[in-house]
Amino acid sequence: SIANKVRLVETIQAARAAAVLPLLRSHADGDGDGSGGGGGSGLLPESYVWREFSHRPDWRALLGPAEGALLPPRRWLIKRAVHRGKGVSLATTAELLNASSDARALLALHPDAVVQRYVDAAFLVGGRKLSLRLYSLLTCSRPLRVYLYTEGFALFATDEYESDSTERLAILTNAAVNKRGVGPAAAAA
């Protein structure tokens, strides 16, 4: 199933490697050297299956600096194979590098989890994070032919977004998480 997070990451990585879909470049591919340090303009953030990623000799470097004076530490979403937003947690690079952290303990229990770079510069509407659910059909890769279904929808976070927030109701747009929200948006409804 394409809804399986591991299969999705593997499919995207295969498409990137085959250069079939250049729009699937990750944000890390911007500098062209594959180091994971570039800004890039791809549609998808860096995403790795932990079991494979943690065995790469360069995995620590790909995570980026744990902390720095000029840039805030990178944050990563850990996505386990649990539906309705229950399997999603947030970790910093420092937590992923620390073998005794809660994040690493979680990954030891769920090695098939996906670790995905968190996009801090979120698209906001009314101060709330959103994601668009659009459906498409790819019928040919060369030449590229994609059909877009006209009836997509948007999912909004319950609480207002701030780039340093760790609150689930501000960073997740999953409908199952936000329908039970108790933040200001839910209280006003």
Side-chain angles (χ1 to χ4, degrees), residues 14-138:
R16 285 179 181 154
V20 171
L21 298 173
L23 289 176
L24 292 182
R25 266 187 12 188
S26 79
H27 288 272
D29 295 337
D31 55 10
D33 70 359
S35 68
S41 60
L43 296 174
L44 302 172
E46 296 168 76
S47 301
Y48 307 100
V49 178
W50 180 255
R51 178 187 309 275
E52 298 160 5
F53 179 68
S54 63
H55 287 88
R56 290 178 58 156
D58 61 344
W59 75 271
R60 288 175 179 82
L62 288 173
L63 287 176
E67 50 189 71
L70 300 176
L71 297 173
R74 285 185 183 171
R75 296 190 299 170
W76 299 83
L77 287 172
I78 299 172
K79 298 180 175 184
R80 296 178 290 131
V82 180
H83 298 289
R84 304 182 137 331
K86 293 178 184 172
V88 179
S89 58
L90 194 60
T92 64
T93 296
E95 291 169 325
L96 291 177
L97 291 172
N98 180 352
S100 61
S101 71
D102 290 343
R104 287 288 290 277
L106 178 68
L107 289 166
L109 291 172
H110 304 279
D112 284 329
V114 169
V115 177
Q116 183 178 65
R117 187 172 178 181
Y118 184 73
V119 178
D120 289 304
F123 180 67
L124 306 177
V125 171
R128 287 179 173 71
K129 199 171 167 192
L130 80 139
S131 60
L132 297 175
R133 193 65 59 93
L134 303 172
Y135 299 95
S136 62
L137 173 66
L138 173 72

